[in-house]
Amino acid sequence: MDCLRAFLAKLQNWQRKVNAGNVAMFENLSTVLDENEDHLLDPLLKTEITQHLKSLESELKNYFPEFEEEDGKLVRNPFSGTLDIATIPSDVQDEFLDLKNDSVAKDLYEERSLTVFWRSMYQSYLKVSEIALRVLLPFSTTYLCECGFSTLLHIKSKSRNRLGVDPDMRCALSVHNLGSVT
């Protein structure tokens, strides 16, 4: 979510800069404008770029709705002293306190990534893990979709423009997924 918030802030900053006529963040466009004699951005193009950036911002906000900041704190560090127990759903509080005071779980948290940690806590702390995995899941599924699109773009290049990419995609993605599991 931190990366997403930073990117959304960049989009808003880029919109402001484009409205002021500054397109330095768009390297290719900036090069074309530098080669142009008057170095000015066409008002119609400025509007189109701004609209595109607004549309991208809107789509990202729609695809990744804000989650409660307390859920984020719980996921990032369930052992934090600043995490307020009152912000955790009441039916999960006792289980959370058990987790927070589990020294083996704390050792695992320090040794493993967040996703591996929460997946390993699923058997022992089901309700708390479900909250954490619900927060983490959209990012991993988005990552897999992006990998699929990148693979498709690589396979279906101009030199290999054919319709039946299913076997190639299946092979490429299964190799990719095996690599990400290990």
Side-chain angles (χ1 to χ4, degrees), residues 3 16-17 37 48 62 110 112 116 143 156-157:
C3 291
R16 184 184 55 75
K17 286 182 175 183
E37 291 178 13
E48 192 171 327
N62 186 36
E110 292 172 358
R112 307 240 169 101
V116 172
Y143 164 77
K156 200 168 177 111
S157 64

Side-chain angles (χ1 to χ4, degrees), residues 133-144:
L133 292 172
R134 239 182 275 123
V135 170
L136 293 171
L137 187 63
F139 301 103
S140 61
T141 55
T142 302
Y143 164 77
L144 292 174

Side-chain angles (χ1 to χ4, degrees), residues 9-27:
K10 287 177 187 178
L11 286 174
Q12 291 171 352
N13 187 41
W14 294 346
Q15 289 174 39
R16 184 184 55 75
K17 286 182 175 183
V18 167
N19 284 329
N22 179 356
V23 291
M25 61 282 189
F26 304 119
E27 216 172 288

